[in-house]
Amino acid sequence: FVVPMEPTDLMEPVDTAEPTADDATDPGGMVGVSVLGNFTIEGHHVGDRTKPWKYTKTPELILYLLLHPGGASQDLLMEQLFPEQPPNRPRLNQLVSDARTKALGQNADGDYHLPHASPTEPFYKLLPSVGLDLRDFAQHCANAKGAENVLEAKREWEAALRLVRGRPFTVPHDGYEWALAEIEATIIKVEEAAVALADIAFEFEDYQLAVWATKKGLLTGTGYYELLVKRGRAALLLQDPEEIVRAFADLQVSLEYSGAPEEGVLDLTLHPDLEEVYNELSSEGRSKDRPS
């Protein structure tokens, strides 16, 4: 049983302006949100400073609603987006209005992807027309795990990793405390997908694919040990001099940051197989630099 809020709590800024190019929606009525890298909507990068709404909490509000398809009340959104801050409904209303009219726009039927709340339905809920690459990634991973043969699994792992463009949930401002568990789980899933595809690539002796898979997995920025080993071995087996040099450089960068600043540089002597790959890459790289 939901007690309706007072109408004054749900009043939102009225936007009477005509849609601009920034507000345009996909011809098919769908709008896509991507979080497997920098936050984007319909291909507009969050770093585009000509779109000020992207430097507010609007992207975070959209993501919260995407990850909570059942919807959320104003009180819940205030609590999650502005923890330990007093309620500020005008500020939240502005974020909702920006999300509705500037970020997401309307579908092919002229309905807002983020409908208005009302006193009798005081919840914000996105329409199914708002897509999320994280959902597609999860579906491809599930398909790969349930695949009937290795070729089918290979196609699905590749499709999943093609969606990864950088560290998941990369945004240019603070926040997202409520999403920390989801972010951590997503990073692990990306790395698991990269390992799975790399193993298949080694099985098929497709070392170029193995390089690609491991590089995708390392975009998470954690310097995951198993991926570092596979990245180096793939480059060595590919026997591309330039790729060997790149792999060694990537390995050096990853080793300088082992996931937590207080841990310092990763000790190679504690990881014999990684030390072996490191030394082989170093040796091969030096030999390629020597004049013939």
Side-chain angles (χ1 to χ4, degrees):
F1 177 76
V2 176
V3 178
M5 297 181 189
E6 291 297 324
T8 53
D9 288 340
L10 291 160
M11 293 298 292
E12 300 169 17
V14 178
D15 195 328
T16 58
E18 291 295 320
T20 64
D22 185 36
D23 305 334
T25 55
D26 183 88
M30 297 288 293
V31 60
V33 175
S34 176
V35 295
L36 293 173
N38 289 304
F39 184 100
T40 57
I41 298 178
E42 294 186 306
H44 296 305
H45 194 282
V46 71
D48 186 344
R49 292 185 180 274
T50 65
K51 303 174 177 62
W53 63 266
K54 293 182 178 178
Y55 284 84
T56 68
K57 285 268 190 177
T58 300
E60 186 175 353
L61 182 148
I62 292 170
L63 183 56
Y64 186 89
L65 293 177
L66 278 168
L67 295 179
H68 299 83
S73 66
Q74 278 198 341
D75 288 339
L76 181 58
L77 288 175
M78 283 296 307
E79 178 184 336
Q80 296 299 320
L81 271 60
F82 304 100
E84 301 180 2
Q85 293 186 28
N88 186 333
R89 296 197 186 283
R91 183 182 184 185
L92 179 62
N93 286 337
Q94 186 61 58
L95 292 181
V96 172
S97 178
D98 286 346
R100 177 181 299 116
T101 62
K102 296 180 180 180
L104 298 174
Q106 297 169 302
N107 62 20
D109 296 326
D111 298 321
Y112 283 114
H113 293 288
L114 174 54
H116 288 270
S118 69
T120 56
E121 186 63 33
F123 286 88
Y124 294 110
K125 184 177 180 180
L126 295 171
L127 295 182
S129 52
V130 182
L132 178 64
D133 63 349
L134 189 56
R135 292 178 191 154
D136 298 333
F137 175 84
Q139 185 60 61
H140 285 304
C141 290
N143 293 345
K145 292 176 181 178
E148 296 183 356
N149 56 70
V150 68
L151 288 176
E152 182 183 340
K154 175 176 171 290
R155 285 193 297 270
E156 292 293 341
W157 288 127
E158 285 186 72
L161 289 172
R162 275 196 294 270
L163 296 171
V164 179
R165 298 167 294 104
R167 183 177 174 83
F169 296 89
T170 301
V171 290
H173 53 75
D174 296 327
Y176 298 79
E177 288 88 352
W178 56 269
L180 292 179
E182 183 72 37
I183 294 171
E184 182 178 349
T186 300
I187 287 172
I188 292 173
K189 290 171 186 174
V190 169
E191 293 171 346
E192 288 176 344
V195 168
L197 181 58
D199 286 342
I200 293 175
F202 281 122
E203 181 181 343
F204 281 86
E205 298 185 355
D206 187 346
Y207 305 124
Q208 189 68 60
L209 177 61
V211 166
W212 180 82
T214 54
K215 288 173 73 173
K216 282 287 189 178
L218 290 170
L219 287 175
T220 61
T222 68
Y224 180 42
Y225 163 74
E226 188 172 357
L227 278 175
L228 289 175
V229 173
K230 293 181 186 296
R231 165 80 169 106
R233 285 179 176 162
L236 290 166
L237 289 166
L238 188 62
Q239 278 300 296
D240 179 336
E242 293 184 359
E243 188 57 48
I244 287 174
V245 172
R246 283 194 292 267
F248 184 66
D250 290 348
L251 188 56
Q252 285 182 307
V253 170
S254 296
L255 290 175
E256 289 173 2
Y257 179 71
S258 58
E262 65 274 10
E263 293 178 4
V265 178
L266 186 65
D267 187 353
L268 279 175
T269 61
L270 300 177
H271 305 280
D273 45 354
L274 183 57
E275 184 178 27
E276 179 184 351
V277 168
Y278 181 91
N279 291 335
E280 286 186 42
L281 286 171
S282 178
S283 176
E284 286 288 327
R286 288 196 301 271
S287 68
K288 305 303 179 187
D289 291 336
R290 298 191 191 107
S292 55

